[in-house]
Amino acid sequence: MNGMPQRCTSRSTPRPLRRAVTIVTVPLLLAGGGLVGGGGVFAGAAVAAERQPAPGAERADVWLARESFVMGTLLRLEVAAPTRAAAAEASEHALAAVHRLDGLLSTWDGSAEMARLNAASAGSSAAVSAALLALLLEAEVWSKRTGRAFEPAVGPLIDAWELRGEGRVPDGAALRAALRAVRAGVTLDAAAGTLTRNDPAGWIDTGAFGKGAALAAAADALRTAGVADAVLDFGGQIMALGRPADGGGWRVPVAHPRHRHQAVGELLLRDVSAATSGASERFIEVDGQRYGHLLDPRTGQPVPAWGSVTVVAADPLAADALSTALFVLGPRAGMAWARDREDVAVLFLEDTPRGLVPHWNPAMERWLTRTIQTERTLR
C-alpha cells in the first residue's frame, strides 16, 4: 500500500438564511469562514448555499455553524436541526467522530495507532484495530483500481524528498532505494488483523485518504443523530448532506488551478463529497526550483503542475483518494480511467499555454450548474 500527501480546497461563507431559519455560531471553537480551496481548486464563497425561501416551504430549522482545527487543517460544519440544542449535540457527535479518526490515522502524533504501526519493527506482524484495518483495506482497493497511482505506502518517497522538512532533491541511489521500499510495501492480513512493514524504510501516509475517511465518519454521526441537512468543509474537501434552506443543493464554486480566488465554474451538490487535487500552492523549493508536493509513486518524481482535478463521489474516502490518483495520472490517462464510470464524477482543468482547458466525464454533468469558463472568456 502507499499514500499521497493531502490536497487543498476552500472554506465557505454561507449567505443569509430566510426568516424561517435561524443560524447560530457556537463560539467555543474557532470563528470565521473562508474559501474552499486547499490546493487552490475551489473558489469564491466556496460552500455558499442559496438560502432564498422555496415557494411553499415551511422549514423552520436552526442552522448551527462550528469550526475546529483537526488533522492539521480547519473543519467547518453547518448543521440543521429542529432546535439549537439538537444541532449542537449532533455537531458534537460529528466532531468527536473526526477526532477519533485522527487518533487512528495521524502519522504526526506518536500516540496515534497509525503512527505506532509505522514505527513497528520491520518484518514483524503488528495487531491492527478493526476500525483502522477496514480503512486501510478500503484505501488498498482504490490503490489497486488506479494502478498504484494512489499509493498509501508512499512514505519512503516523502522522506527521500524531505516533504515534511525543508525539501531536497534525492540523488539516483536514494530515489531507487525509496522506490524499492515503496514497492516492498506493507502487508495487510485481514484474517489475522495484522500489518507487516516489509522494509525498514517503509511506512504508510494517510494524507490522501484521511480527510475523506473522517468526513465519512462525521456524516454517519450526523445521520445517526437525525440530521438530514448539513454541509462540512474539511480543508477544502466538501461533504454535502441533504439540502440548504431553499430546498435545492449546496453551491460550490470551482476555482482556477492557479488563481484559487477566481471561480471558473460551479457545482450543485447533494449527498456527495467533492475533493480536489492540484500542485499550484503546496510545494518545496530547492536551489530556486519548485517541486510539487504530490509524488508519482510509480516513478518517485513530483507530479507537474498541469492544472487540477475535482472528484465527486458518494464516498468521501473514494473522492479523497481518487483526486490524488487522477492528478497523478494526468488529464489524458485520468480521463481514460474515469470516462465510463457512473459512480465517480471527474472534472479536469488543464492549464495550457493557450489557456484553461476543461474536460469532464458524463457522470460530472449532473453536478455542473455553470459552464466552465476558459481564460479567454474570463478576460
Side-chain angles (χ1 to χ4, degrees), residues 12-45:
S12 56
T13 305
R15 299 175 193 169
L17 299 174
R18 59 188 179 84
R19 293 179 184 174
V21 182
T22 304
I23 187 163
V24 180
T25 302
V26 178
L28 49 125
L29 300 175
L30 300 176
L35 298 179
V36 182
V41 284
F42 288 115

PDB file of all heavy atoms in Angstrom, residues 12-45:
ATOM      1  N   SER A  12     -16.135  27.946   3.455  1.00  0.00           N
ATOM      2  CA  SER A  12     -17.364  28.527   2.995  1.00  0.00           C
ATOM      3  C   SER A  12     -17.866  29.670   3.833  1.00  0.00           C
ATOM      4  O   SER A  12     -17.685  29.712   5.029  1.00  0.00           O
ATOM      5  CB  SER A  12     -18.436  27.473   2.948  1.00  0.00           C
ATOM      6  OG  SER A  12     -18.554  26.885   4.199  1.00  0.00           O
ATOM      7  N   THR A  13     -18.546  30.593   3.181  1.00  0.00           N
ATOM      8  CA  THR A  13     -19.217  31.660   3.878  1.00  0.00           C
ATOM      9  C   THR A  13     -20.678  31.623   3.486  1.00  0.00           C
ATOM     10  O   THR A  13     -21.043  32.018   2.391  1.00  0.00           O
ATOM     11  CB  THR A  13     -18.622  33.030   3.499  1.00  0.00           C
ATOM     12  OG1 THR A  13     -17.219  32.992   3.732  1.00  0.00           O
ATOM     13  CG2 THR A  13     -19.258  34.128   4.310  1.00  0.00           C
ATOM     14  N   PRO A  14     -21.566  31.121   4.345  1.00  0.00           N
ATOM     15  CA  PRO A  14     -22.964  30.979   3.980  1.00  0.00           C
ATOM     16  C   PRO A  14     -23.648  32.316   3.802  1.00  0.00           C
ATOM     17  O   PRO A  14     -23.338  33.280   4.508  1.00  0.00           O
ATOM     18  CB  PRO A  14     -23.565  30.207   5.159  1.00  0.00           C
ATOM     19  CG  PRO A  14     -22.617  30.402   6.268  1.00  0.00           C
ATOM     20  CD  PRO A  14     -21.274  30.641   5.673  1.00  0.00           C
ATOM     21  N   ARG A  15     -24.563  32.353   2.863  1.00  0.00           N
ATOM     22  CA  ARG A  15     -25.362  33.554   2.677  1.00  0.00           C
ATOM     23  C   ARG A  15     -26.480  33.584   3.700  1.00  0.00           C
ATOM     24  O   ARG A  15     -26.804  32.577   4.307  1.00  0.00           O
ATOM     25  CB  ARG A  15     -25.947  33.574   1.258  1.00  0.00           C
ATOM     26  CG  ARG A  15     -24.864  33.598   0.201  1.00  0.00           C
ATOM     27  CD  ARG A  15     -25.460  33.494  -1.172  1.00  0.00           C
ATOM     28  NE  ARG A  15     -24.406  33.215  -2.138  1.00  0.00           N
ATOM     29  CZ  ARG A  15     -24.631  32.867  -3.380  1.00  0.00           C
ATOM     30  NH1 ARG A  15     -25.858  32.740  -3.818  1.00  0.00           N
ATOM     31  NH2 ARG A  15     -23.628  32.628  -4.194  1.00  0.00           N
ATOM     32  N   PRO A  16     -27.093  34.747   3.910  1.00  0.00           N
ATOM     33  CA  PRO A  16     -28.128  34.843   4.937  1.00  0.00           C
ATOM     34  C   PRO A  16     -29.257  33.850   4.683  1.00  0.00           C
ATOM     35  O   PRO A  16     -29.685  33.635   3.553  1.00  0.00           O
ATOM     36  CB  PRO A  16     -28.626  36.287   4.796  1.00  0.00           C
ATOM     37  CG  PRO A  16     -27.488  37.019   4.158  1.00  0.00           C
ATOM     38  CD  PRO A  16     -26.837  36.015   3.247  1.00  0.00           C
ATOM     39  N   LEU A  17     -29.771  33.299   5.758  1.00  0.00           N
ATOM     40  CA  LEU A  17     -30.879  32.359   5.666  1.00  0.00           C
ATOM     41  C   LEU A  17     -32.193  33.113   5.607  1.00  0.00           C
ATOM     42  O   LEU A  17     -32.312  34.251   6.033  1.00  0.00           O
ATOM     43  CB  LEU A  17     -30.869  31.436   6.885  1.00  0.00           C
ATOM     44  CG  LEU A  17     -29.614  30.573   7.049  1.00  0.00           C
ATOM     45  CD1 LEU A  17     -29.693  29.839   8.370  1.00  0.00           C
ATOM     46  CD2 LEU A  17     -29.506  29.605   5.921  1.00  0.00           C
ATOM     47  N   ARG A  18     -33.193  32.438   5.108  1.00  0.00           N
ATOM     48  CA  ARG A  18     -34.510  33.065   5.073  1.00  0.00           C
ATOM     49  C   ARG A  18     -35.057  33.177   6.484  1.00  0.00           C
ATOM     50  O   ARG A  18     -34.558  32.559   7.421  1.00  0.00           O
ATOM     51  CB  ARG A  18     -35.448  32.239   4.178  1.00  0.00           C
ATOM     52  CG  ARG A  18     -35.635  30.801   4.608  1.00  0.00           C
ATOM     53  CD  ARG A  18     -36.413  30.054   3.543  1.00  0.00           C
ATOM     54  NE  ARG A  18     -36.614  28.676   3.883  1.00  0.00           N
ATOM     55  CZ  ARG A  18     -37.597  28.227   4.654  1.00  0.00           C
ATOM     56  NH1 ARG A  18     -38.439  29.079   5.192  1.00  0.00           N
ATOM     57  NH2 ARG A  18     -37.729  26.942   4.910  1.00  0.00           N
ATOM     58  N   ARG A  19     -36.109  33.941   6.679  1.00  0.00           N
ATOM     59  CA  ARG A  19     -36.584  34.279   8.012  1.00  0.00           C
ATOM     60  C   ARG A  19     -36.995  33.065   8.831  1.00  0.00           C
ATOM     61  O   ARG A  19     -36.883  33.067  10.044  1.00  0.00           O
ATOM     62  CB  ARG A  19     -37.758  35.246   7.916  1.00  0.00           C
ATOM     63  CG  ARG A  19     -37.360  36.617   7.378  1.00  0.00           C
ATOM     64  CD  ARG A  19     -38.552  37.529   7.267  1.00  0.00           C
ATOM     65  NE  ARG A  19     -38.176  38.808   6.675  1.00  0.00           N
ATOM     66  CZ  ARG A  19     -39.063  39.740   6.366  1.00  0.00           C
ATOM     67  NH1 ARG A  19     -40.351  39.534   6.583  1.00  0.00           N
ATOM     68  NH2 ARG A  19     -38.657  40.871   5.845  1.00  0.00           N
ATOM     69  N   ALA A  20     -37.476  32.044   8.175  1.00  0.00           N
ATOM     70  CA  ALA A  20     -37.954  30.876   8.917  1.00  0.00           C
ATOM     71  C   ALA A  20     -36.814  30.052   9.501  1.00  0.00           C
ATOM     72  O   ALA A  20     -37.037  29.108  10.220  1.00  0.00           O
ATOM     73  CB  ALA A  20     -38.799  29.985   8.019  1.00  0.00           C
ATOM     74  N   VAL A  21     -35.593  30.442   9.189  1.00  0.00           N
ATOM     75  CA  VAL A  21     -34.436  29.667   9.636  1.00  0.00           C
ATOM     76  C   VAL A  21     -33.547  30.539  10.501  1.00  0.00           C
ATOM     77  O   VAL A  21     -33.320  31.697  10.210  1.00  0.00           O
ATOM     78  CB  VAL A  21     -33.633  29.147   8.424  1.00  0.00           C
ATOM     79  CG1 VAL A  21     -32.463  28.297   8.885  1.00  0.00           C
ATOM     80  CG2 VAL A  21     -34.543  28.368   7.504  1.00  0.00           C
ATOM     81  N   THR A  22     -33.042  29.983  11.588  1.00  0.00           N
ATOM     82  CA  THR A  22     -32.133  30.695  12.464  1.00  0.00           C
ATOM     83  C   THR A  22     -30.757  30.095  12.334  1.00  0.00           C
ATOM     84  O   THR A  22     -30.610  28.877  12.314  1.00  0.00           O
ATOM     85  CB  THR A  22     -32.593  30.566  13.930  1.00  0.00           C
ATOM     86  OG1 THR A  22     -33.936  31.027  14.028  1.00  0.00           O
ATOM     87  CG2 THR A  22     -31.697  31.376  14.861  1.00  0.00           C
ATOM     88  N   ILE A  23     -29.729  30.939  12.261  1.00  0.00           N
ATOM     89  CA  ILE A  23     -28.370  30.408  12.249  1.00  0.00           C
ATOM     90  C   ILE A  23     -27.639  30.855  13.503  1.00  0.00           C
ATOM     91  O   ILE A  23     -27.739  32.000  13.911  1.00  0.00           O
ATOM     92  CB  ILE A  23     -27.575  30.822  10.990  1.00  0.00           C
ATOM     93  CG1 ILE A  23     -26.233  30.092  10.974  1.00  0.00           C
ATOM     94  CG2 ILE A  23     -27.359  32.303  10.909  1.00  0.00           C
ATOM     95  CD1 ILE A  23     -25.557  30.105   9.625  1.00  0.00           C
ATOM     96  N   VAL A  24     -26.955  29.931  14.146  1.00  0.00           N
ATOM     97  CA  VAL A  24     -26.249  30.202  15.389  1.00  0.00           C
ATOM     98  C   VAL A  24     -24.803  29.775  15.210  1.00  0.00           C
ATOM     99  O   VAL A  24     -24.540  28.671  14.739  1.00  0.00           O
ATOM    100  CB  VAL A  24     -26.876  29.404  16.554  1.00  0.00           C
ATOM    101  CG1 VAL A  24     -26.132  29.700  17.852  1.00  0.00           C
ATOM    102  CG2 VAL A  24     -28.357  29.718  16.690  1.00  0.00           C
ATOM    103  N   THR A  25     -23.869  30.627  15.578  1.00  0.00           N
ATOM    104  CA  THR A  25     -22.463  30.242  15.557  1.00  0.00           C
ATOM    105  C   THR A  25     -22.018  29.991  16.987  1.00  0.00           C
ATOM    106  O   THR A  25     -22.070  30.886  17.819  1.00  0.00           O
ATOM    107  CB  THR A  25     -21.589  31.333  14.921  1.00  0.00           C
ATOM    108  OG1 THR A  25     -22.049  31.583  13.600  1.00  0.00           O
ATOM    109  CG2 THR A  25     -20.135  30.910  14.880  1.00  0.00           C
ATOM    110  N   VAL A  26     -21.582  28.789  17.254  1.00  0.00           N
ATOM    111  CA  VAL A  26     -21.148  28.435  18.598  1.00  0.00           C
ATOM    112  C   VAL A  26     -19.721  28.920  18.795  1.00  0.00           C
ATOM    113  O   VAL A  26     -18.820  28.523  18.058  1.00  0.00           O
ATOM    114  CB  VAL A  26     -21.232  26.908  18.807  1.00  0.00           C
ATOM    115  CG1 VAL A  26     -20.725  26.536  20.185  1.00  0.00           C
ATOM    116  CG2 VAL A  26     -22.673  26.450  18.632  1.00  0.00           C
ATOM    117  N   PRO A  27     -19.452  29.784  19.783  1.00  0.00           N
ATOM    118  CA  PRO A  27     -18.162  30.452  19.881  1.00  0.00           C
ATOM    119  C   PRO A  27     -17.072  29.686  20.609  1.00  0.00           C
ATOM    120  O   PRO A  27     -16.012  30.221  20.833  1.00  0.00           O
ATOM    121  CB  PRO A  27     -18.518  31.730  20.651  1.00  0.00           C
ATOM    122  CG  PRO A  27     -19.644  31.314  21.536  1.00  0.00           C
ATOM    123  CD  PRO A  27     -20.417  30.292  20.751  1.00  0.00           C
ATOM    124  N   LEU A  28     -17.307  28.424  20.997  1.00  0.00           N
ATOM    125  CA  LEU A  28     -16.261  27.752  21.743  1.00  0.00           C
ATOM    126  C   LEU A  28     -15.187  27.178  20.848  1.00  0.00           C
ATOM    127  O   LEU A  28     -14.181  26.688  21.332  1.00  0.00           O
ATOM    128  CB  LEU A  28     -16.835  26.633  22.621  1.00  0.00           C
ATOM    129  CG  LEU A  28     -17.791  25.651  21.987  1.00  0.00           C
ATOM    130  CD1 LEU A  28     -17.290  24.247  22.184  1.00  0.00           C
ATOM    131  CD2 LEU A  28     -19.146  25.787  22.655  1.00  0.00           C
ATOM    132  N   LEU A  29     -15.378  27.226  19.529  1.00  0.00           N
ATOM    133  CA  LEU A  29     -14.338  26.792  18.601  1.00  0.00           C
ATOM    134  C   LEU A  29     -13.835  28.003  17.831  1.00  0.00           C
ATOM    135  O   LEU A  29     -14.152  29.131  18.167  1.00  0.00           O
ATOM    136  CB  LEU A  29     -14.908  25.721  17.671  1.00  0.00           C
ATOM    137  CG  LEU A  29     -15.425  24.474  18.397  1.00  0.00           C
ATOM    138  CD1 LEU A  29     -16.082  23.540  17.421  1.00  0.00           C
ATOM    139  CD2 LEU A  29     -14.305  23.763  19.123  1.00  0.00           C
ATOM    140  N   LEU A  30     -13.045  27.759  16.799  1.00  0.00           N
ATOM    141  CA  LEU A  30     -12.528  28.868  16.011  1.00  0.00           C
ATOM    142  C   LEU A  30     -13.649  29.591  15.307  1.00  0.00           C
ATOM    143  O   LEU A  30     -14.650  28.998  14.931  1.00  0.00           O
ATOM    144  CB  LEU A  30     -11.520  28.346  14.967  1.00  0.00           C
ATOM    145  CG  LEU A  30     -10.302  27.621  15.537  1.00  0.00           C
ATOM    146  CD1 LEU A  30      -9.471  27.083  14.391  1.00  0.00           C
ATOM    147  CD2 LEU A  30      -9.482  28.550  16.398  1.00  0.00           C
ATOM    148  N   ALA A  31     -13.488  30.876  15.102  1.00  0.00           N
ATOM    149  CA  ALA A  31     -14.536  31.646  14.440  1.00  0.00           C
ATOM    150  C   ALA A  31     -14.159  31.897  12.997  1.00  0.00           C
ATOM    151  O   ALA A  31     -13.005  31.874  12.624  1.00  0.00           O
ATOM    152  CB  ALA A  31     -14.725  32.980  15.150  1.00  0.00           C
ATOM    153  N   GLY A  32     -15.176  32.176  12.180  1.00  0.00           N
ATOM    154  CA  GLY A  32     -14.879  32.617  10.833  1.00  0.00           C
ATOM    155  C   GLY A  32     -15.407  31.729   9.750  1.00  0.00           C
ATOM    156  O   GLY A  32     -16.175  30.825   9.962  1.00  0.00           O
ATOM    157  N   GLY A  33     -14.951  32.007   8.557  1.00  0.00           N
ATOM    158  CA  GLY A  33     -15.354  31.247   7.387  1.00  0.00           C
ATOM    159  C   GLY A  33     -14.317  31.540   6.338  1.00  0.00           C
ATOM    160  O   GLY A  33     -13.353  32.203   6.589  1.00  0.00           O
ATOM    161  N   GLY A  34     -14.491  31.070   5.127  1.00  0.00           N
ATOM    162  CA  GLY A  34     -13.474  31.361   4.137  1.00  0.00           C
ATOM    163  C   GLY A  34     -13.743  30.719   2.826  1.00  0.00           C
ATOM    164  O   GLY A  34     -14.882  30.563   2.447  1.00  0.00           O
ATOM    165  N   LEU A  35     -12.675  30.340   2.152  1.00  0.00           N
ATOM    166  CA  LEU A  35     -12.780  29.751   0.830  1.00  0.00           C
ATOM    167  C   LEU A  35     -12.534  28.273   0.904  1.00  0.00           C
ATOM    168  O   LEU A  35     -11.841  27.791   1.773  1.00  0.00           O
ATOM    169  CB  LEU A  35     -11.758  30.389  -0.100  1.00  0.00           C
ATOM    170  CG  LEU A  35     -11.938  31.877  -0.311  1.00  0.00           C
ATOM    171  CD1 LEU A  35     -10.861  32.398  -1.214  1.00  0.00           C
ATOM    172  CD2 LEU A  35     -13.300  32.176  -0.853  1.00  0.00           C
ATOM    173  N   VAL A  36     -13.082  27.551  -0.083  1.00  0.00           N
ATOM    174  CA  VAL A  36     -12.920  26.096  -0.081  1.00  0.00           C
ATOM    175  C   VAL A  36     -11.668  25.724  -0.815  1.00  0.00           C
ATOM    176  O   VAL A  36     -11.728  24.957  -1.721  1.00  0.00           O
ATOM    177  CB  VAL A  36     -14.063  25.410  -0.828  1.00  0.00           C
ATOM    178  CG1 VAL A  36     -13.943  23.897  -0.805  1.00  0.00           C
ATOM    179  CG2 VAL A  36     -15.376  25.836  -0.258  1.00  0.00           C
ATOM    180  N   GLY A  37     -10.526  26.183  -0.615  1.00  0.00           N
ATOM    181  CA  GLY A  37      -9.519  25.912  -1.597  1.00  0.00           C
ATOM    182  C   GLY A  37      -8.179  25.535  -1.122  1.00  0.00           C
ATOM    183  O   GLY A  37      -7.253  26.264  -1.337  1.00  0.00           O
ATOM    184  N   GLY A  38      -7.920  24.431  -0.502  1.00  0.00           N
ATOM    185  CA  GLY A  38      -6.567  23.983  -0.284  1.00  0.00           C
ATOM    186  C   GLY A  38      -6.087  23.425  -1.591  1.00  0.00           C
ATOM    187  O   GLY A  38      -6.683  22.524  -2.118  1.00  0.00           O
ATOM    188  N   GLY A  39      -5.007  23.889  -2.114  1.00  0.00           N
ATOM    189  CA  GLY A  39      -4.581  23.444  -3.416  1.00  0.00           C
ATOM    190  C   GLY A  39      -5.135  24.345  -4.461  1.00  0.00           C
ATOM    191  O   GLY A  39      -4.807  24.264  -5.622  1.00  0.00           O
ATOM    192  N   GLY A  40      -6.014  25.233  -4.073  1.00  0.00           N
ATOM    193  CA  GLY A  40      -6.490  26.264  -4.955  1.00  0.00           C
ATOM    194  C   GLY A  40      -7.443  25.790  -6.003  1.00  0.00           C
ATOM    195  O   GLY A  40      -7.379  26.187  -7.143  1.00  0.00           O
ATOM    196  N   VAL A  41      -8.387  24.951  -5.653  1.00  0.00           N
ATOM    197  CA  VAL A  41      -9.235  24.424  -6.684  1.00  0.00           C
ATOM    198  C   VAL A  41     -10.687  24.786  -6.547  1.00  0.00           C
ATOM    199  O   VAL A  41     -11.420  24.725  -7.504  1.00  0.00           O
ATOM    200  CB  VAL A  41      -9.059  22.937  -6.749  1.00  0.00           C
ATOM    201  CG1 VAL A  41      -7.764  22.587  -7.429  1.00  0.00           C
ATOM    202  CG2 VAL A  41      -9.049  22.361  -5.368  1.00  0.00           C
ATOM    203  N   PHE A  42     -11.118  25.167  -5.370  1.00  0.00           N
ATOM    204  CA  PHE A  42     -12.442  25.751  -5.229  1.00  0.00           C
ATOM    205  C   PHE A  42     -12.247  27.235  -4.968  1.00  0.00           C
ATOM    206  O   PHE A  42     -11.264  27.644  -4.396  1.00  0.00           O
ATOM    207  CB  PHE A  42     -13.201  25.140  -4.055  1.00  0.00           C
ATOM    208  CG  PHE A  42     -13.649  23.741  -4.297  1.00  0.00           C
ATOM    209  CD1 PHE A  42     -13.146  22.696  -3.553  1.00  0.00           C
ATOM    210  CD2 PHE A  42     -14.557  23.457  -5.291  1.00  0.00           C
ATOM    211  CE1 PHE A  42     -13.553  21.407  -3.768  1.00  0.00           C
ATOM    212  CE2 PHE A  42     -14.961  22.161  -5.522  1.00  0.00           C
ATOM    213  CZ  PHE A  42     -14.461  21.139  -4.758  1.00  0.00           C
ATOM    214  N   ALA A  43     -13.237  28.038  -5.359  1.00  0.00           N
ATOM    215  CA  ALA A  43     -13.058  29.473  -5.184  1.00  0.00           C
ATOM    216  C   ALA A  43     -14.349  30.122  -4.771  1.00  0.00           C
ATOM    217  O   ALA A  43     -15.396  29.514  -4.731  1.00  0.00           O
ATOM    218  CB  ALA A  43     -12.585  30.101  -6.492  1.00  0.00           C
ATOM    219  N   GLY A  44     -14.246  31.425  -4.509  1.00  0.00           N
ATOM    220  CA  GLY A  44     -15.440  32.185  -4.205  1.00  0.00           C
ATOM    221  C   GLY A  44     -15.924  31.895  -2.803  1.00  0.00           C
ATOM    222  O   GLY A  44     -15.186  31.484  -1.935  1.00  0.00           O
ATOM    223  N   ALA A  45     -17.212  32.118  -2.552  1.00  0.00           N
ATOM    224  CA  ALA A  45     -17.810  31.741  -1.271  1.00  0.00           C
ATOM    225  C   ALA A  45     -18.075  30.263  -1.368  1.00  0.00           C
ATOM    226  O   ALA A  45     -19.158  29.808  -1.673  1.00  0.00           O
ATOM    227  CB  ALA A  45     -19.089  32.512  -1.026  1.00  0.00           C
TER     228      ALA A  45
END
